[in-house]
Amino acid sequence: MNVLAATTSTSTGEAVQFWVLGTIALVGALCTVMMKKAVHSALSLAGTMIILAVFYLSQGAYFLGIVQIVVYTGAIMMLFLFVLMLVGVTSADSLKETLKGQRWLAATCGLGFGILLIAGIGNASIDSYAGLGKANADGNVEALAALIFNRYVWAFELTGALLITAAVGAMVLTHRERITKPETQRELSQRRVREGKQVTPLPAPGVYARHNANDIPALLPDGSIAEVSVNKTLRARGQMRDVSNEPMSNVAELEGQAESWLGRVTPKRVVRQPEENGSPESESEGAAK
Amino acid sequence: MNGTDENPLDLLPEVLLAGCAVLALLLGCWLPRHRQWLAGALAVTGCAAGLVAAAVAAAGPTGTAFDASYAVDPVTSTGRIVILGGTLLVLLLSLTSPWLRAAPRETEFYVLVLLAAVGAVLLAGAQDLLLLAAGYLLASVPAYALAGFARDGRGTEAALKYYVLGALLGVLLLTGVTVLLAAGHGTGYPALRRELPDAPVGLVITGGLGVLAGVLFKSGGVPAHYWLPDAVQGSLAPVGAFLTTVPKIGALAAGYRLAAGPLADTGRWWPDLVAVVAVASMTLGNLAAFSQRDVRRLLAYSTISQVGYLLLPVAVAGRTALDQRALLFYLAGYAVTNLGAFAVVCALPRARHLADYRGLARERPALAVALVVCLLGLVGTPPTAVFLGKLAVFSAAFDAGYTWLAVVAAANTVASLFYYLRWIAPTVLGTAPPGDEDRDGDGGRVGNGNAGRAGADPLAGGHATGDATFAGGAVLVAYPAAAASVLLGLLGGPVLDLLAGPLAG
C-alpha cells in the first residue's frame, strides 16, 4: 500500500523538496542567462543540471539521474568550462540596440507565452499520477532500453547523424587552412630585432613578494606598469588589475621629501597614468630609466 | 513493447540518404581535391536510389514503422518523393556551380545537404512528437552550416540569424512537446488523438502553440520568417534554393499530420490560429516583396507568401476531403517551380538585381523562357502546377467553410502578380545595356538547347574557371524544372487522384 502510494501521489517530503530545489534550479537558470561572465553562466548551468538530476532521482529514474550527473554535469559542462577558459573571450558584448523597440517586443512576447504556460498548466489539476509503476515494472534500465532500441531506435540513430552533422558543420565553419609556412623560432627572433620593438622576452606578470596573480602587471623601475607582462586576452577584457598607484605615490612622496630636505623647490613630478594601450616603446623607455 | 513493425526496409529511402551521407563523407576524406565531385555523384546516386525506393513504397500498402512512431502513407510517400527530387535538383545545381566546384569543402556541402534532407523527410513522416523534435534538429543543424558555407560577412550573418531563431523556436517546440506529453499522457499521435479531446484545453493550446512555432520556423511562416530573407540573400544560390524548398515540404507535411491527427478534435482554436498565421504570412510576404530589388530577396519573400497559401490546407485539415490532396499537390508544384526560378538565378551568378536581368530574352532566350514560366507559375498562371495547386487549396478552404480565407488568398494572388511582373518585364522587354553581364560568352551556346549533352557529365558542366557570369550547368536544372512545372499542371487530374488516401495510424 505504501509503495502504491509512493508511485501514485506526491508525498509532503517530495513536495518540500520540489519547491526548495525548483527555486534553486530556476535561480540557476536565470543566472545562466543574466551573468556577465561566461564562466559564471556555465557554473550556474551546471548547478541547474545537478538539481535536475536530483529531480530525476527522486522520481525514480535512477539511471537517468546518474547519467545526467556523469555525462552532462561531469563531462560536457566541465569540457565546456575548459573550452571557455582556454579560448578566452576577447570581445565584450555590445549593449547597443540595433533593432528599435526590440526589447519591449521580446518582453511582451515572452510574458505572453509565460502567461499562457502558467494558465495552461494551472488549468490542469493532477492530484494523482499513474504509469510510473508500470514503466518501471521490469526495471528502470530495461524499460529505457526497450524504448530506445525499439520504438525510438530510428530517432536514436538520427541523433548519431546529428553528431556527425555537428562535427562536419563545426569544421566547415571554423577550420582554416594554413596557406603560409609557419615561422621558425629563428625567423621570429630576427623579426623582433628588425622591428626593434621588444627584443627581449616579455616580462613576467606579478609584483615580487606582494602580488603574484596573472592579472597584475609587473612594475617598471619608476613604479609605472609594464602592460606587456599581462596576457593579451586579459588586457582586451579590461581585467588587468593595476597596483602601480601606491608605489608611484610612495616614490613621489620620497622624492618630495628629499627635495625639501635639500632645500630645493622643484615642480612635483607628474605621475604617469598607464595608457589605454601601452606601446612597447614607452615600456622599454621606462625600463631604461 | 515489442511491436511487429520494426522493419528497417520500411525506411529504405531515409536509410539510403543517411547511408550515402556517411559514405560520401568517408569518400571525401580520401579523394584528392579535384575529384571531390565523386562524393557529389554518390550523393546524386543516393537520392536517385531513394526516389526509386520511395516510389516503390508509395505503391505499397499504408502502414507504420517502429512501434507506430513513423508513418508510411501518402503524405510520407509524397513528402519523400518531393524532398528527394528537390534535393536531387539542388545537388545538380551545386555540382554545376563554379564557386562550389573550386571550394575546398565540396564534399562537406553534399553531406550536409543529404543530412538536412533526411531531417526534412523525417519531419514529413514522424508520427511521434519525439521523432518530430529529432527531425526538427536534423533538418535545422546542417542548414545552419550550409547558410554560412561561403564564410563571408553576409553568409556569417545569415547563419547566425538562422541559428539564433532556430534555437529559440526549437526550445518552444520542445516546450510544446513536453506540455502535450503532460496533457495527452504520451507522445505517439494515435494515443494523443485519443487523449487530447478530454485534456484541459489551456494545456492543449499551449502545447499546440509551441509545436506550431517549430513548424512555422521550418516552413518560414510569418512570425518565424525573419531569418529567411537574410539567409537566402546571404548564402550561396544553391543553398538559397535548398532552404526555400526542402525543409518547407517536411515542415508543412508535419503541420498537416499534426492538424489531421492529434489536434483534430480539440476545438476550433487550431484552424482559426493557423488561418490567421496563413493570412499574415501571405500578406506580409507580398507586401515586403513589392519593394525588393535583389532577386534572391524577392524570391525569399515570395516563398514566405507561398507558405501562406500552403498553410490553408493545414488550417482546414480534417474538415474537408480535399485538404490532403491540395496540400501535397501544391507542395510538389511549388517545389519544382521555385527550384526552377532559383536555377535561373544560379545560372547567372553575377546578376543579383532585377535590373541585371534586362535583355535576358535577347541574349539567352531559352533561359528567359524558363524564368518566365517559373515566375508565372509562382503567380499561378493556368497551365502550371501551382495554378492547379492554388485552385485545389482554395476549394479546400471553401469546402471547409473558410470562405473569407479563400477570398483573402485569391486577392493576395492577384497582388503578387505585380512583383513577379517587375522581374518579368525587364527580362522580356528590355535590351541589355552595353557591357552587361549577359554578353555572349562561350557558355551562350549551352543555353540554347543542347544542354542535356553538355552537362550530363558533372565535370563538363562545371566551367570551373572561365566564364563566371554564366554557370552553364544550372540550365540543366532550369529547363527540366520549368518543363515539369507545366507538365505537372497538365497531368494534374491523375496526379491528384494518386495523392488521396488515408493517413496511417
Side-chain angles (χ1 to χ4, degrees):
Chain A
M1 192 61 217
N2 209 359
V3 176
L4 187 67
T7 52
T8 57
S9 62
T10 310
S11 63
T12 321
E14 198 184 333
V16 170
Q17 178 220 26
F18 171 79
W19 288 109
V20 172
L21 291 183
T23 315
I24 302 176
L26 198 61
V27 169
L30 286 176
C31 284
T32 308
V33 183
M34 294 178 174
M35 280 290 177
K36 265 190 183 158
K37 288 184 183 163
V39 175
H40 294 173
S41 284
L43 284 174
S44 307
L45 187 59
T48 301
M49 282 178 166
I50 291 177
I51 290 172
L52 283 185
V54 176
F55 278 139
Y56 292 154
L57 291 174
S58 70
Q59 301 275 321
Y62 301 116
F63 181 74
L64 209 57
I66 298 298
V67 163
Q68 168 90 4
I69 290 185
V70 171
V71 177
Y72 282 91
T73 323
I76 295 182
M77 269 324 288
M78 291 309 123
L79 191 71
F80 192 65
L81 267 182
F82 281 135
V83 169
L84 273 183
M85 290 176 180
L86 284 178
V87 172
V89 185
T90 48
S91 60
D93 287 345
S94 159
L95 291 175
K96 200 176 146 213
E97 281 190 36
T98 46
L99 297 174
K100 255 188 206 165
Q102 154 259 9
R103 217 168 264 217
W104 291 108
L105 276 176
T108 315
C109 288
L111 208 66
F113 191 73
I115 290 172
L116 197 62
L117 256 183
I118 292 170
I121 294 173
N123 192 346
S125 61
I126 298 166
D127 41 14
S128 71
Y129 49 89
L132 180 60
K134 203 177 81 186
N136 284 343
D138 299 333
N140 183 244
V141 178
E142 285 83 349
L144 268 181
L147 273 182
I148 288 179
F149 294 111
N150 285 324
R151 172 184 258 186
Y152 295 118
V153 68
W154 179 222
F156 190 62
E157 294 299 326
L158 287 169
T159 321
L162 205 58
L163 288 179
I164 298 177
T165 310
V168 173
M171 202 193 59
V172 162
L173 292 182
T174 59
H175 182 74
R176 243 167 238 291
E177 309 235 327
R178 182 181 277 281
I179 50 172
T180 54
K181 195 171 73 66
E183 283 185 302
T184 62
Q185 210 164 11
R186 185 185 182 86
E187 283 162 347
L188 281 174
S189 77
Q190 281 170 345
R191 191 162 58 97
R192 276 209 303 272
V193 172
R194 207 176 304 127
E195 290 175 357
K197 279 188 179 167
Q198 174 90 30
V199 180
T200 57
L202 295 175
V207 177
Y208 181 63
R210 296 185 69 178
H211 312 275
N212 60 357
N214 265 338
D215 57 346
I216 306 231
L219 295 186
L220 295 170
D222 67 343
S224 63
I225 59 168
E227 287 211 12
V228 280
S229 62
V230 174
N231 187 308
K232 205 162 51 173
T233 307
L234 291 177
R235 265 188 281 159
R237 280 184 191 162
Q239 286 183 342
M240 200 167 64
R241 280 197 288 155
D242 189 353
V243 292
S244 66
N245 280 338
E246 197 195 339
M248 293 281 267
S249 59
N250 282 349
V251 168
E253 197 186 340
L254 206 65
E255 286 182 351
Q257 280 175 0
E259 301 294 340
S260 66
W261 189 74
L262 290 170
R264 276 184 283 172
V265 181
T266 46
K268 206 165 183 197
R269 186 182 157 161
V270 180
V271 176
R272 190 163 61 93
Q273 290 298 320
E275 293 156 31
E276 280 283 301
N277 288 319
S279 58
E281 279 91 349
S282 63
E283 309 300 346
S284 50
E285 204 181 291
K289 285 175 194 166
Chain B
M1 208 40 91
N2 284 312
T4 52
D5 54 358
E6 284 154 18
N7 184 6
L9 280 181
D10 289 339
L11 303 176
L12 192 59
E14 291 86 346
V15 172
L16 275 172
L17 268 187
C20 274
V22 175
L23 277 183
L25 191 60
L26 289 175
L27 189 66
C29 292
W30 274 284
L31 281 177
R33 190 161 286 173
H34 61 277
R35 288 220 194 97
Q36 298 230 327
W37 63 269
L38 277 168
L42 177 67
V44 168
T45 317
C47 269
L51 265 176
V52 173
V56 170
T62 295
T64 57
F66 290 103
D67 213 0
S69 68
Y70 197 80
V72 183
D73 55 13
V75 174
T76 309
S77 295
T78 317
R80 276 173 178 168
I81 291 174
V82 178
I83 288 172
L84 286 170
T87 312
L88 192 66
L89 294 185
V90 171
L91 284 172
L92 287 178
L93 279 181
S94 327
L95 271 167
T96 54
S97 153
W99 188 91
L100 198 69
R101 292 301 313 282
R105 298 263 159 269
E106 199 187 335
T107 301
E108 283 83 342
F109 186 90
Y110 305 130
V111 171
L112 289 171
V113 166
L114 282 184
L115 286 170
V118 179
V121 176
L122 196 64
L123 279 176
Q127 217 187 9
D128 189 300
L129 289 174
L130 291 181
L131 210 56
L132 183 76
Y136 176 90
L137 285 175
L138 195 57
S140 304
V141 176
Y144 304 148
L146 283 177
F149 199 83
R151 298 217 333 216
D152 50 0
R154 278 174 180 273
T156 309
E157 185 188 340
L160 191 70
K161 278 188 179 157
Y162 193 15
Y163 167 70
V164 168
L165 267 178
L168 174 69
L169 293 166
V171 168
L172 279 186
L173 171 80
L174 285 176
T175 313
V177 168
T178 315
V179 172
L180 283 183
L181 165 67
H185 311 296
T187 53
Y189 287 5
L192 284 176
R193 177 155 200 176
R194 278 195 309 275
E195 299 278 343
L196 283 186
D198 304 328
V201 182
L203 216 52
V204 177
I205 292 181
T206 315
L209 200 63
V211 177
L212 180 66
V215 169
L216 281 181
F217 169 73
K218 290 282 21 148
S219 59
V222 144
H225 70 288
Y226 285 103
W227 58 274
L228 193 67
D230 288 309
V232 173
Q233 189 189 11
S235 50
L236 303 167
V239 176
F242 184 83
L243 290 182
T244 51
T245 313
V246 173
K248 277 180 206 292
I249 302 163
L252 287 162
Y256 175 78
R257 204 181 277 285
L258 271 168
L263 300 173
D265 308 320
T266 57
R268 274 190 75 87
W269 64 274
W270 172 271
D272 289 344
L273 182 69
V274 179
V276 168
V277 166
V279 166
S281 199
M282 59 180 96
T283 314
L284 293 180
N286 274 341
L287 287 180
F290 282 145
S291 56
Q292 299 305 324
R293 284 175 47 238
D294 186 301
V295 288
R296 294 192 204 171
R297 232 178 149 74
L298 188 137
L299 276 179
Y301 278 113
S302 120
T303 66
I304 292 174
S305 71
Q306 297 283 343
V307 168
Y309 309 127
L310 280 161
L311 280 171
L312 258 60
V314 177
V316 300
R319 281 154 206 273
T320 160
L322 296 172
D323 52 354
Q324 182 177 323
R325 274 183 284 173
L327 176 76
L328 297 179
F329 188 81
Y330 196 161
L331 270 179
Y334 162 74
V336 76
T337 315
N338 191 50
L339 281 174
F342 263 101
V344 176
V345 172
C346 289
L348 301 167
R350 290 265 179 88
R352 303 208 57 146
H353 292 278
L354 290 178
D356 297 338
Y357 282 79
R358 185 169 290 282
L360 183 67
R362 300 208 176 169
E363 302 290 334
R364 302 183 197 285
L367 198 61
V369 167
L371 179 67
V372 169
V373 165
C374 288
L375 290 182
L376 286 179
L378 283 175
V379 182
T381 319
T384 59
V386 172
F387 164 72
L388 209 59
K390 278 192 176 168
L391 208 62
V393 162
F394 295 167
S395 40
F398 266 121
D399 205 35
Y402 279 80
T403 313
W404 64 273
L405 200 56
V407 169
V408 172
N412 263 304
T413 300
V414 175
S416 72
L417 185 61
F418 172 69
Y419 59 81
Y420 291 118
L421 279 181
R422 276 187 63 213
W423 192 353
I424 293 174
T427 308
V428 177
L429 302 175
T431 48
D436 198 49
E437 84 296 334
D438 291 331
R439 246 180 308 137
D440 261 337
D442 54 357
R445 288 185 303 283
V446 181
N448 286 344
N450 53 0
R453 229 166 349 105
D457 178 10
L459 267 184
H463 287 285
T465 47
D467 183 17
T469 61
F470 181 65
V475 299
L476 260 187
V477 177
Y479 298 155
S485 162
V486 176
L487 207 63
L488 197 60
L490 294 176
L491 296 177
V495 176
L496 270 173
D497 288 340
L498 279 179
L499 300 176
L503 284 178

